[in-house]
Amino acid sequence: MKVQITSNVFLRDKYLLMEFCVPAGFAKPEPGQFLHVRIEDSFDPLLRRPLSIHDVAWQARSRSGQKRHILKILYEVVGKGTALLAEKRPLAQIDVLGPLGRGFDLKKINRSRCVYIVAGGMGVAPLFFLAKTIREGQKGKGPKIVVLIGGRNKDHIIREKEFKDLGCEVHVATEDGSKGVKGRVTELLKTLLPAPGAAGSPDDPQGPPVICACGPKAMLSVVAGFAQQKGLAAQVSLEEFMGCGLGACLGCVIRTVSGYRRICQDGPVFDASEVIWTE
Ligand SMILES: Cc1cc2nc3c(=O)[nH]c(=O)nc-3n(C[C@H](O)[C@H](O)[C@H](O)COP(=O)(O)OP(=O)(O)OC[C@H]3O[C@@H](n4cnc5c(N)ncnc54)[C@H](O)[C@@H]3O)c2cc1C
Ligand code: FES
């Protein structure tokens, strides 16, 4: 489906936020789902690029008062496809397939008293939409949201303010210590979990916390190990190179306890305990 870009701006360095309208028939996305984006009409780049849905304004009103749906993607320029995407100006068109994949299990999240959202680098992209959806569904109730953002240095920490504006408790870790706590975001997670019996601790009588994470596979593997050690539920959003994005080419499979699964269709969000993390 062709969509028209309404805005495509650099937030800083190599990070951009793109906004476009989708027609009324477009399925309402769930947090954790992604779009498969064809960047050019030509065959170069040949393959679509998977990009998470970062934010959604469903039934926003245009200046003329008409209802319209707005989707946002947050992306980092890493190669040819994303560099071409960064050159797109308002009114240009791109072709998007989606929303695709299986997102976060909101029912499980909403049953907990506290959700720890752990983002490594561009992992913030789908997690912002997750935090916003939890917040919007709460109506005064629902889990407390603690967000942990990790990056190599302060320039790799994005969307901190936006999470705070949602009312989330936000913590930052950088590997060089230029912002927040020095070290990895997974170390920060270990220090933030409250003492036994306290609200949001693993043995909180009103429901143990849930961890939701997105980032590099090595980081997610540490999160999964930590969750298993503490007996906590964790949902992780995985990234892999993709071909079709529709479950047909088997280009994105991972090993799980129930056999090979396709990240594009069975995921990208999986229960961390399902994934076999060793290569
Ligand atoms: C489900 C899913 C959701 C994603 N959401 C986002 C998002 O919201 N924002 C964002 O910036 N990126 C996201 N990505 C990663 C994004 O798809 C890649 O960065 C993009 O396809 C790179 O395209 P390119 O042509 O610019 O780079 P290429 O020229 O194809 O590659 C450049 C570099 O990026 C690495 N790379 C390429 N694709 C991937 C990938 N899928 N996973 C890991 N490394 C890769 C390559 O190893 C290479 O080093 C997501 C990936 C998946 C699978
Ligand atoms: S990308 Fe083709 S099966 Fe997942």
Side-chain angles (χ1 to χ4, degrees):
M1 169 188 298
K2 290 265 187 197
V3 296
Q4 193 170 64
I5 297 166
T6 49
S7 134
N8 188 28
V9 289
F10 275 91
L11 297 178
R12 95 166 59 127
D13 194 16
K14 295 189 292 180
Y15 300 106
L16 289 98
L17 184 67
M18 178 183 279
E19 207 175 291
F20 47 84
C21 294
V22 291
F26 199 84
K28 193 170 181 177
E30 291 166 12
Q33 287 190 303
F34 68 95
L35 301 173
H36 218 196
V37 180
R38 188 180 192 104
I39 296 161
E40 297 292 334
D41 280 336
S42 67
F43 288 109
D44 186 23
L46 180 62
L47 295 176
R48 291 174 179 268
R49 299 294 195 262
L51 294 164
S52 307
I53 295 165
H54 173 65
D55 196 4
V56 172
W58 213 245
Q59 300 211 327
R61 284 196 183 271
S62 68
R63 279 186 201 145
S64 62
Q66 281 183 327
K67 280 183 184 169
R68 56 183 198 158
H69 306 322
I70 297 167
L71 296 195
K72 295 180 193 178
I73 51 178
L74 175 70
Y75 64 100
E76 180 181 5
V77 176
V78 293
K80 186 168 187 177
T82 44
L84 286 168
L85 202 58
E87 288 173 8
K88 301 280 178 195
R89 296 285 161 261
L91 302 184
Q93 292 195 333
I94 49 170
D95 188 280
V96 299
L97 262 184
L100 299 177
R102 241 186 39 176
F104 290 93
D105 187 336
L106 284 167
K107 278 192 185 145
K108 281 190 187 159
I109 293 169
N110 284 325
R111 277 202 295 267
S112 70
R113 199 145 64 125
C114 182
V115 54
Y116 289 85
I117 289 183
V118 187
M122 281 313 298
V124 292
L127 294 175
F128 178 76
F129 181 28
L130 173 66
K132 189 175 166 188
T133 307
I134 299 170
R135 223 357 129 238
E136 284 176 351
Q138 282 185 338
K139 298 188 181 81
K141 297 179 186 161
K144 173 182 172 186
I145 307 173
V146 181
V147 177
L148 289 72
I149 309 174
R152 257 175 285 150
N153 60 50
K154 63 177 171 36
D155 296 329
H156 293 120
I157 304 297
I158 45 175
R159 309 316 263 169
E160 182 188 359
K161 178 180 177 303
E162 286 70 18
F163 277 111
K164 282 183 181 162
D165 289 347
L166 283 181
C168 306
E169 180 183 313
V170 182
H171 301 265
V172 169
T174 51
E175 286 171 32
D176 69 354
S178 52
K179 192 173 176 89
V181 173
K182 185 173 181 182
R184 293 184 191 275
V185 71
T186 44
E187 294 303 317
L188 180 60
L189 174 66
K190 290 176 189 171
T191 63
L192 282 177
L193 224 55
S201 69
D203 53 359
D204 181 350
Q206 289 192 36
V210 174
I211 301 172
C212 296
C214 184
K217 197 171 174 191
M219 176 203 120
L220 298 180
S221 151
V222 175
V223 170
F226 175 66
Q228 188 189 26
Q229 191 194 337
K230 295 277 177 191
L232 296 176
Q235 301 178 25
V236 292
S237 182
L238 294 172
E239 282 192 9
E240 197 38 273
F241 296 99
M242 283 190 183
C244 67
L246 297 168
C249 73
L250 304 185
C252 63
V253 291
I254 49 148
R255 279 202 311 145
T256 72
V257 290
S258 46
Y260 285 100
R261 308 278 299 277
R262 295 155 301 182
I263 290 184
C264 67
Q265 202 165 57
D266 305 315
V269 180
F270 290 88
D271 191 305
S273 63
E274 277 181 46
V275 179
I276 297 174
W277 294 98
T278 47
E279 289 297 318

